Each structure stands twice: as structure tokens, then as C-alpha cells.
């Protein structure tokens, strides 16, 4: 059996267990990268050297995050082949896996955030949405998928258990979060609880943030991206990505004393180690402040 033949069987077996977007991404990585490079090789004869060559070739043309996702796909397929006793060892486990290269994060400064908050306050349709986004750090699909049943008004919490995405063909679908780790309950700031409590009083639909034109449907994640661009232009701010609002939330949380473990739990299926690596520029400054605080505390004790 060739790798190409096994990949077809693997995708068929995985079809019912993956989110449509995830399955579509796996197919893309296989068709555009894995199959052309390694597909003709016999499954049992793929070596760590072959895999290493493949990754080095990808590193010359693709971003590190894309190479890492291709590795995740290939690793999963070969792991399943090993479990099916088609290969003795998984060659992707015998090399150093590609790593993400974390560049500088685009976040709004305190001054820019103040400007942005003033602009969204003037937008009656989108104000609550972007305020909630900035105070929770939720992903686009997660915040669009919120229902009123997820909001515990008495305890001031939100349950994150679904995401909205667009199917092939254009239809919006609300499905489970990508992984079980993505299902979580987060405690809301008092101000966000007040915003949602006031919004709930006039709610006409099960969605916390329904489509403004079709309230029986959730807000389209694509529309939130386009609206962000409108608001940024109106505010005269840099043309950041929607995901950078999540980065802004994360940096502000760390700077204001939220510990890394708690932040990881709020963000979703990220480990504390991932958070430390991603926001190293922030956590380094936090460590310096902690070191100075300890030094000041002990300086008097150690003096003769």
C-alpha cells in the first residue's frame, strides 16, 4: 500500500469524527503538499529521513504555522497506520517536529484601545458584540455561536460549547467546538454581565448576537471581520486582523495580573506552555517586575 492509498482510507475513516472545516483543511494539506511529495512511496518504507526532507522543502516556501499543520496531518495519518499494524514505527515521531515561529503580536496600545472603545460605543448594532469580544478573548466562531442558554446571569458566566462556521456551498452551521478542551465556562467581568443582562431584556431570538438582518440566524463570522475593518478605518487605527483583538485581550489580561494558567483556560485548548511561548514579550516583563519585587522585599533582610 502506498501512502497515497492509506491517506484516502484514513480520511474516509475520519470523516465522521472531524469538524467539516478541519476535514477540509486536512484534505487541502494532503492534496497540495503531502501527496505530491510522498504519496507514491510505499507506506511501510517511509523513513524519518524522507519526512525530514519533506519538512525542509516546505520550510523554504511556507509559513511555519502551515508547516506545523501539515505535520499534524501527516503525523495523525501515520499514527493511525501504526495502530492498524500497517507500519512498525511512525517516522514522524523519530525527528524533531516543525515548530511555530512566533512573531511579534499585533495588539492595540492603551491609547488605541481607548479610541476603539469610543468608536464602538457609537455603533448601536455592533457595540455589545465588540465589547464582549474585547473582554473575553473569544474566537469569531465562538462568540457568533453564543446562545442565551449559555449565559448564567446569576453567576456571571458564559459556557463556550459551539462555534459557527460556513459550510462548503455557503451555508452557516453551528457545531461543537473543535475539541472537548474547547468546551469551557468563563467568568465574565461585571461590566460584561451588565451589558448582556441589558441586551437580554430586549432579545427576540435564541442567539446572543443574531444576524442583524435575519435574527433567527447567528451572526456570520465573515460579517464581523468586515465590520471590524469599518470600525478600524473610522477610528484611524492600524488595519489589524480580527484575531488580533484576541491577542489584545490576552496581553491586557497578563499585564493586569491574570496568571498564565487561568488565561489558557479562558482562551480554550491552549496549554500554559503555548501561552508562555506566544506572549513571551509580556511574560518576560512580568517576570522582571516579580524579580524586582522579591529583591526589594529581601534587600533589607540580607543587609548586615
Amino acid at each position: 500500500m502506498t501512502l497515497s492509498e492509506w491517506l484516502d482510507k484514513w480520511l474516509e475513516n475520519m470523516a465522521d469524527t472531524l469538524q467539516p472545516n478541519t476535514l477540509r483543511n486536512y484534505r487541502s494539506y494532503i492534496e497540495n503538499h503531502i501527496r505530491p511529495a510522498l504519496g507514491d512511496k510505499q507506506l511501510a518504507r517511509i523513513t524519518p529521513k524522507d519526512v525530514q526532507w519533506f519538512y525542509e522543502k516546505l520550510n523554504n516556501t511556507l509559513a511555519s504555522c502551515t508547516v506545523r499543520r501539515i505535520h499534524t496531518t501527516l503525523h495523525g495519518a501515520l499514527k493511525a497506520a501504526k495502530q492498524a499494524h500497517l507500519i512498525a514505527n511512525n517516522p514522524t515521531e523519530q525527528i524533531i517536529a516543525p515548530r511555530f515561529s512566533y512573531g511579534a503580536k499585533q495588539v492595540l496600545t492603551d491609547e488605541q484601545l481607548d479610541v476603539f472603545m469610543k468608536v464602538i460605543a457609537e455603533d448601536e448594532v455592533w457595540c455589545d458584540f465588540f465589547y464582549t469580544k474585547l473582554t473575553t478573548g473569544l474566537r469569531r466562531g465562538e462568540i457568533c455561536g453564543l446562545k442565551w442558554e449559555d449565559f448564567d446571569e446569576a453567576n456571571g458566566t458564559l459556557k463556550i460549547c459551539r462555534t459557527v462556521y460556513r459550510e462548503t456551498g455557503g451555508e452557516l452551521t453551528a457545531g461543537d467546538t473543535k475539541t472537548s478542551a474547547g468546551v469551557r465556562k468563563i467568568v465574565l467581568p461585571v461590566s460584561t454581565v451588565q451589558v448582556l443582562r441589558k441586551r437580554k431584556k430586549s432579545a427576540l431570538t435564541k442567539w446572543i448576537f443574531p444576524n442583524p438582518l435575519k435574527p433567527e440566524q447567528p451572526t456570520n463570522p465573515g460579517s464581523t471581520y468586515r465590520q471590524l475593518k469599518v470600525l478600524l478605518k473610522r477610528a484611524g487605527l492600524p488595519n489589524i486582523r480580527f484575531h488580533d483583538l484576541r491577542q489584545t485581550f490576552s496581553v491586557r489580561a497578563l499585564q493586569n495580573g491574570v496568571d498564565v494558567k487561568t488565561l489558557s483556560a479562558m482562551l480554550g485548548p491552549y496549554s500554559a506552555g503555548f501561552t508562555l511561548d506566544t506572549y513571551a514579550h509580556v511574560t518576560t516583563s512580568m517576570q522582571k517586575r516579580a524579580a524586582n519585587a522579591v529583591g526589594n522585599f529581601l534587600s533589607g533582610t540580607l543587609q548586615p
Side-chain angles (χ1 to χ4, degrees), residues 189-241:
V190 174
S191 60
T192 308
V193 174
Q194 293 173 344
V195 165
L196 295 182
R197 182 182 293 133
K198 181 179 179 181
R199 185 178 183 84
K200 187 177 182 181
K201 292 179 180 179
S202 57
L204 301 175
T205 174
K206 63 183 179 182
W207 303 103
I208 293 182
F209 300 109
N211 185 320
L213 301 179
K214 299 178 180 179
E216 71 279 4
Q217 298 180 5
T219 290
N220 183 343
S223 298
T224 68
Y225 174 85
R226 291 187 290 272
Q227 186 59 33
L228 172 63
K229 299 302 180 180
V230 170
L231 293 170
L232 290 171
K233 186 175 181 180
R234 190 181 300 167
L237 295 173
N239 187 30
I240 63 174
R241 305 167 303 165

Side-chain angles (χ1 to χ4, degrees), residues 6 12 14 16 30 43-44 54 58 86 88 96-97 116 142 154 176 181 202 213 271 279 284 300:
W6 169 248
E12 184 179 349
M14 295 290 287
D16 294 333
I30 288 171
L43 182 62
F54 175 51
L58 294 177
L86 297 175
I96 299 175
F116 187 71
E142 290 175 340
D176 296 335
S202 57
L213 301 179
S271 68
Y279 303 106
T284 298

Side-chain angles (χ1 to χ4, degrees), residues 120-139:
I120 66 172
E122 298 170 355
D123 192 316
E124 294 183 2
V125 175
W126 290 97
C127 177
D128 293 351
F129 177 92
F130 281 101
Y131 187 86
T132 303
K133 165 67 181 178
L134 284 166
T135 55
T136 61
L138 297 179
R139 297 176 177 87

Side-chain angles (χ1 to χ4, degrees), residues 68-69 99-100 102 105 139 243 246-247 250 254 260 263-264 267-280 283:
R68 177 70 186 189
R69 290 177 186 128
R99 295 179 63 85
F100 283 118
Y102 302 109
K105 303 303 171 185
R139 297 176 177 87
H243 190 71
R246 181 171 163 88
Q247 312 283 20
S250 302
L254 288 170
V260 173
L263 177 59
S264 296
L267 292 175
Y270 288 154
S271 68
F274 176 90
T275 308
L276 279 168
D277 288 341
T278 307
Y279 303 106
T283 53

